[in-house]
Amino acid sequence: MDDNRLIQNLKTLPLYNSAIEKLTIAPNQLNENEKTFLLTVALILLRKYERDHRLTTFVELAYYIILKYSLFFKDYDPLYDFSVNIGYYPIAQAITDLKQIQFNSISSSLIPTLIDDGFKKDSIIETYEQKHTRNEVLKSDSKDICYIAPTSFGKSSIISEHITANWDNAKRVAVIVPTKSLLMQTHRAIRKKKLDTKIIIHDEMYNNEDRFIAILTQERALRLLDKHSIFFDCMYIDEAHRLFDRDSRAILLSRLIKLNRQRNKDSKIIYLSPLVTNTSNLIIDKSQIIFEQRIRFNIKEPEYFEYSKNEVFKYNRFINKFFHIGISGNMFDYIIQNATEKSFCYLYAPRKIEQFAEKLSKVVNTIKESEQLREVIRNLKKYVHDEFYVIDYLRKGIIYLHGKMPDNVKEYLEYKYSEIPDFQFIIANKVILEGINLPISSLFILNGTNLYGKDLINLIGRVNRLDQVFTQPPRLDLLMPKVHFVNSDEYNRKNGNFENKIRILQSSVFEDKVKNPILDNFNWDDAAKNNDNDEKCKEIVKSEELFFSDSNDPIQELKRKMIALGMNNIYTITDELCQKILGKIDRIKNHPKLHEGHFLERLRYLFIRHCDGSIVDDEFARLKNDKAIAYYKMFFNNRKKSLKENIAREVAYFKRRISEGDSLMYIGESYGEQPYTLTGRNSYHNVYVDLSRKTNRQLVNIAIVKQKMEEDFVSFKLRMFFQLMLDYFILSEDEYYEIIYGTTDRKKIHLVKTGLTINLINRLENDDQLKNIIIDKNGNLVTNHKFDTYLKDADDFYRFELNRIL
C-alpha cells in the first residue's frame, strides 16, 4: 500500500492545502477553524493508522501537524494525548515535567507515574517501541538478529546489554565497528561495564584466551581468525548497512561473517543499523533466518530550508512543495542568521572544508577569551604546530574535522567541541556519520556529493540527539531540528541546486541498494542490465571462492594469502604474478645479501620490480621510484618522534625539495591540484601539489595532513606486505615488530596494541610511569593511584590521549 501517495493526494483539497501551507511557513495566520480542521485531520489519520499499521506515513503526518501546532501555540494538550496514545512517552513525560498540562481526572494524573514505572530505564524514558524492541532482542534465541532504529535510539547501549544478558553462553564476543574512532568509543563504553574478562582491541592482543570481548574493525577481526583457528560465539555488526556497499571493506565484512559462521554454525550475529529497509538483504547464506526488530518512528521531525541565489525556501515533505519565505544576503549572511548554539556545516572534500572554515572565520565575531579556549590553543601549539589553521578559527568559535587530520587531534577537537559552549560551528564531512556523538543543534548542507537517501537521513539524524532534547529541563523545540541546504557555485556545483536532493526526503523509507555480490539478494541481472561493473562483481566472487578453498599448491596458497590481506585492491592477482613473487622469495632466501638489505628495498624487489603490469594502485606503484623509497626510509626512522617534531621535519623536507627544484609532490586526490604530467596514465588525476607556490603556513598545514595520509598508507597498505614478508620469513619477528610498533620491547608492544602510540609510551617511560600501568589477571591494562595523581597534573591534551585508552 502506497500510503505516501495517499498523503500527497490530500493537497488537492483546497482547505487542507491552504491550512498546511500556513502551518508550514506562518502558523500565526491560521484562524480557529483552520486550527480545528488540521487537528481533526491529524486525529482521523491517527485512527486510520490504528486500524491499519501499514499506514506509517499517516501517523508521521498526524505527528507533524500536532507537534508543529503544539510548539508554536504553546498548547501541549494535543501533543500530550498523541504521545500517550502512540507511545512517545519521553514527550509526554517532558510535557509533565515542564508543567504544560493540567490533569482533569485522577486516572489521567496517574499516567506520569505509570510511564515512570513502566518505561524508565536508568535515567531515560523509553518510547513504547524502544522498550518493546529492546526486550525482544534481549530475550530472542535466534542466531541472526537485526535491530534497526533511528540515530540516538540506543543501538550502542543494546550491545552492552545483550553481552551481559548472554554472558553465560557466549565466551568469545566480537563487536565489529567501521572506524578506529568508533572502536575507541565502544571500548570505553564496554570497559565501564567492568565485566570480568579480557577486552581486545587489536588482533595481536589475543593470547589463546578462552573468554574475551573483542572490539575490532573487520580487518583486525579477519586477521585474528586467519592467524588462529578460533571463532566468535557472538558477533555484533555495527553500522550493518555498510554490508550493502561494494568497496573492499564491505567485502571483508561479508567475508568475516561467512568465515565465522563456517567455523561455528551456532554462532550468533546481531546486526545494528539505522538504515536497513529489508533485513533479508543482509543474508549471505540462504540458511540464515533473520529475526527483525525495528523502531519504525523517529520522534524528531526536521524542518527543511533551501538557500539559493539569495532566496530562501521552506520545504514541506508531506505535500512535496517548496514555499518562498524570504530573501537573504550571501550564503555566509544566511548561515550566520540561522546558526544555533551548535551548528554543523557539512562539506564533502577536506580541502573545501578548510577553505570554507577560513572564509567563515572572516565573517563571524571573535569569541570571548576564556581559560578553556586558551588551554586548547596552548595544547595545539604544543602538540601540533603554531601555524595549524584550526588555532585561528577556534578564536572565532569554529572547528573543522575531516579524515585527513591526525586521529588524536581530530578526536581531541571533537571532545572540545562537545565540552566548550563557545565553539559554535563545526565543519566536517562523513567522519561525522560513523557514530560520533556531538551536540549538534542545526545543520547546513553545502555539498551533495555522494550524499544519497540513506546517508542523507543518517546525517540529518545527527542533529538534536535525544539526550539533548530530553535533558533537564527538556527542550521540546529541538524535536523539529532545522536543516538548511545552502547552494553555491563554489561549494556545491556551478548553477546547481538541492531541489531534487530535498524532494527525496518526502519519504522516510528508502530501498536498500545491494551492491555487494557476496550477498544473497544481489541481483546479477540488474547489474548486467545497468552496466554495473559486471566483471568486477565476478572477480570479487571468484576471489571469495578462492579464499574459502583448500589447496596445497604454493601458488594458490600465496594467492589466498594475498586476497586475505586485501592485496587484490593493489594488484590484479594472477597465477603468473604469484609464481613471479614466489621465485623472488626463494632468491632472497638463497642470497643472504639480498636478505640483509633494507626492508623497503626487499619489499620493492619482491612486490614491485617486474610486477608493474599487475599493479592497479597508483599510490603503491610510486615505490618503484628511488625518491619514494628514500622518503619512506626517513618516515620509518622518525615514527618514534612526536607529531610536532614530524611536522617540523616534513616542512624542512618540503623546503629542501623546493630549493632543489623538485617541488612537485604527490599528495593524492583529496589535496591534489595538478597532474604529474599532461599526458599518459596519470594525466587526468590531480594528485600532485606544487610546494614552491605555497606559503610557510600552507606548507605546515600540508605537512599536518600528510602525516595522517602517510600513516594510513603505511598502516593499511604497506602493513599487508610486511605481514606477507613475515609469513614467508623475509622479515624476522623482531624486524616486523620494529617496523610496525617501533620497538621490540614486548611490554611496549602490548601497550601499542591497546592503542597507545610509541611516542606516548616513550614519554611515560621517561616520566617513570610504566611501572604504574599494570596488566591485570585478564590481560587488561589498569593503573594505580600514583598514575591517577600523575594524570591529574598532566595538561589537557596529554590527559585526553591517555584517558582514551587507560
Side-chain angles (χ1 to χ4, degrees), residues 477-495:
D477 59 303
L478 298 185
L479 289 169
M480 299 194 85
K482 305 294 187 289
V483 178
H484 305 266
F485 292 81
V486 182
N487 280 296
S488 68
D489 290 350
E490 185 175 0
Y491 297 106
N492 192 23
R493 65 182 190 275
K494 194 168 179 61
N495 298 320

Side-chain angles (χ1 to χ4, degrees), residues 45 86 116 134 191 247 340 386 405 429 599 654 666 682 786:
L45 290 169
I86 206 74
D116 197 63
R134 179 173 59 81
R191 195 173 60 185
D247 59 28
T340 54
D386 290 9
M405 187 179 281
N429 55 12
F599 62 85
F654 292 166
Y666 179 90
N682 293 318
K786 289 182 180 177

Side-chain angles (χ1 to χ4, degrees), residues 165-205:
N166 290 272
W167 193 236
D168 292 335
N169 302 318
K171 292 186 175 181
R172 293 171 173 171
V173 173
V175 183
I176 310 302
V177 295
T179 65
K180 284 198 282 186
S181 292
L182 199 50
L183 187 153
M184 298 314 302
Q185 184 176 297
T186 307
H187 175 239
R188 286 193 292 274
I190 297 291
R191 195 173 60 185
K192 284 178 184 174
K193 292 291 178 182
K194 296 186 177 177
L195 298 166
D196 187 21
T197 192
K198 183 171 185 176
I199 300 177
I200 292 171
I201 62 171
H202 195 290
D203 50 287
E204 292 188 14
M205 288 175 69

Side-chain angles (χ1 to χ4, degrees), residues 326-524:
I327 303 291
S328 184
N330 63 41
M331 62 180 291
F332 290 102
D333 292 334
Y334 178 79
I335 290 169
I336 292 166
Q337 287 162 11
N338 291 282
T340 54
E341 63 269 23
K342 291 287 185 180
S343 293
F344 172 28
C345 299
Y346 173 88
L347 282 154
Y348 180 71
R351 193 152 49 109
K352 290 290 187 181
I353 287 170
E354 294 180 12
Q355 290 168 358
F356 179 81
E358 181 183 16
K359 290 191 176 181
L360 182 62
S361 72
K362 291 176 179 176
V363 294
V364 298
N365 296 324
T366 302
I367 64 175
K368 65 181 180 182
E369 182 96 351
S370 65
E371 176 51 34
Q372 284 181 306
L373 172 62
R374 286 193 292 269
E375 181 180 46
V376 177
I377 289 173
R378 272 197 309 271
N379 284 327
L380 292 177
K381 286 183 174 182
K382 179 179 179 180
Y383 291 100
V384 187
H385 199 283
D386 290 9
E387 296 197 73
F388 186 21
Y389 290 146
V390 168
I391 290 170
D392 286 343
Y393 307 153
L394 288 174
R395 296 187 172 101
K396 298 298 186 82
I398 297 169
I399 283 175
Y400 71 77
L401 305 171
H402 53 66
K404 304 300 180 186
M405 187 179 281
D407 288 336
N408 59 341
V409 178
K410 177 173 73 69
E411 290 176 29
Y412 177 70
L413 290 171
E414 288 168 352
Y415 163 60
K416 285 298 163 186
Y417 182 75
S418 297
E419 188 182 58
I420 300 177
D422 290 335
F423 291 159
Q424 181 180 18
F425 292 99
I426 190 162
I427 305 161
N429 55 12
K430 287 191 179 183
V431 298
I432 224 91
L433 295 181
E434 302 289 3
I436 304 303
N437 301 332
L438 294 174
I440 299 161
S441 53
S442 61
L443 170 64
F444 296 88
I445 298 173
L446 293 106
N447 183 275
T449 303
N450 289 343
L451 196 60
Y452 303 112
K454 291 195 173 188
D455 274 344
L456 185 57
I457 289 292
N458 199 14
L459 177 63
I460 291 166
R462 299 286 156 196
V463 189
N464 293 350
R465 294 183 62 85
L466 296 183
D467 56 355
Q468 294 169 245
V469 179
F470 298 111
T471 184
Q472 287 300 325
R475 293 187 57 189
L476 292 177
D477 59 303
L478 298 185
L479 289 169
M480 299 194 85
K482 305 294 187 289
V483 178
H484 305 266
F485 292 81
V486 182
N487 280 296
S488 68
D489 290 350
E490 185 175 0
Y491 297 106
N492 192 23
R493 65 182 190 275
K494 194 168 179 61
N495 298 320
N497 67 67
F498 278 112
E499 182 180 335
N500 291 336
K501 187 80 67 177
I502 296 168
R503 284 191 190 278
I504 66 175
L505 294 166
Q506 65 184 283
S507 174
S508 58
V509 178
F510 299 93
E511 281 188 18
D512 299 325
K513 293 185 177 177
V514 182
K515 297 179 180 180
N516 184 345
I518 305 306
L519 298 177
D520 190 56
N521 276 0
F522 178 76
N523 192 314
W524 287 94

